[in-house]
Amino acid sequence: MKRIYIVRHGQTYINRYNKMQGWCDTPLTTPGIEGAEEAGKALSEVPFDIALSSDLKRASDTCEIIMKYNANKDELQHIASPFFREQFYGYFEGIDSEMAWRMIGGSHGYGTRQEMFAHESIDTIKDWIKEADPYHQAENAEEYWARLDDGFKLISQLDGAENILLVTHGFTIRSLWYRYGDHIPLVPGPKNASITIMTMSEKGEIKIPKWNLMHL
């Protein structure tokens, strides 16, 4: 049985200014660094066998901070991979979040993301993002899950790794909640530096028993 400790990266400047942040990247704020340190302390006694993260700097930096506090810090290897990147929002990257979600959901009768997340599947929302993107370069559900599934195939092949750190992103964690959680509400979403615990059996069965924790 693998236990995967999924952490959302610490707060960034774009998070602070409430803008869409998928593949675009900004540095951690001072509270973001402090949040990563708190997550590191909360997970310090979990003897990680490997540390994985998105290759975006905000996730990679958060992972490195968490690793410094870990019981296995001297042996721990960090692999940063594009498999674990955030959803790609295409045209909507960097614009005001509430404005973007109105543009995405408005034609379907939703004025806010909270309403949309409460009533629609995460995969429908992904498809609507690509549909609303004038360039149609944002990821839809099929494209997104093909990438994430490659990441989880990688995890399943990590022989001998029982405790795994994975630092990724807010909408990605929401997506995992939706696919593998037992009716986990999508609003509110995961907080910066929060911890979600996922288990993966030898047969590949995935469950999420705990989510949005700030402490174990």
Side-chain angles (χ1 to χ4, degrees):
M1 177 74 74
K2 298 183 186 297
R3 288 177 66 84
I4 306 160
Y5 295 79
I6 305 171
V7 180
R8 185 184 176 194
H9 61 79
Q11 184 199 66
T12 69
Y13 283 94
I14 279 192
N15 292 152
R16 183 177 182 181
Y17 303 144
N18 195 34
K19 296 179 181 292
M20 297 288 275
Q21 185 175 218
W23 287 13
C24 70
D25 213 4
T26 54
L28 299 178
T29 61
T30 297
I33 293 169
E34 292 170 350
E37 290 174 341
E38 289 301 314
K41 293 172 185 176
L43 295 167
S44 63
E45 298 305 315
V46 179
F48 289 125
D49 298 302
I50 194 165
L52 306 174
S53 76
S54 158
D55 64 341
L56 297 171
K57 191 173 188 299
R58 60 190 185 272
S60 182
D61 285 355
T62 298
C63 189
E64 291 287 333
I65 291 169
I66 293 171
M67 289 168 61
K68 290 192 298 185
Y69 289 91
N70 196 253
N72 281 353
K73 63 183 179 181
D74 293 334
E75 296 84 30
L76 202 51
Q77 180 186 8
H78 175 196
I79 298 174
S81 169
F83 292 153
F84 302 112
R85 281 187 182 186
E86 180 61 296
Q87 174 88 27
F88 180 49
Y89 296 118
Y91 171 82
F92 301 106
E93 294 276 343
I95 73 172
D96 178 81
S97 289
E98 299 310 321
M99 180 187 299
W101 288 117
R102 284 196 298 272
M103 293 171 68
I104 293 162
S107 62
H108 302 280
Y110 293 106
T112 69
R113 58 179 164 181
Q114 288 81 6
E115 293 173 330
M116 187 162 45
F117 290 159
H119 294 98
E120 299 292 341
S121 78
I122 205 84
D123 287 350
T124 295
I125 294 169
K126 292 179 190 298
D127 290 344
W128 286 353
I129 295 170
K130 189 176 187 76
E131 173 189 288
D133 176 1
Y135 296 88
H136 302 299
Q137 292 182 334
E139 288 179 308
N140 62 18
E142 181 180 1
E143 294 163 336
Y144 174 86
W145 286 115
R147 176 168 60 80
L148 260 288
D149 286 345
D150 282 342
F152 279 88
K153 181 179 180 181
L154 169 67
I155 290 175
S156 71
Q157 295 171 343
L158 293 172
D159 293 336
E162 295 183 359
N163 293 302
I164 299 166
L165 172 64
L166 172 58
V167 181
T168 183
H169 306 269
F171 198 61
T172 287
I173 295 172
R174 264 196 177 106
S175 301
L176 296 173
W177 287 359
Y178 184 86
R179 177 173 270 198
Y180 298 114
D182 185 13
H183 302 293
I184 299 173
L186 299 184
V187 286
K191 298 175 183 177
N192 287 109
S194 64
I195 301 163
T196 291
I197 298 177
M198 173 184 283
T199 61
M200 180 186 289
S201 72
E202 291 183 1
K203 295 181 179 180
E205 183 180 10
I206 297 175
K207 295 182 179 179
I208 297 178
K210 297 181 181 180
W211 62 92
N212 222 2
L213 305 175
M214 302 310 291
H215 303 283
L216 293 185

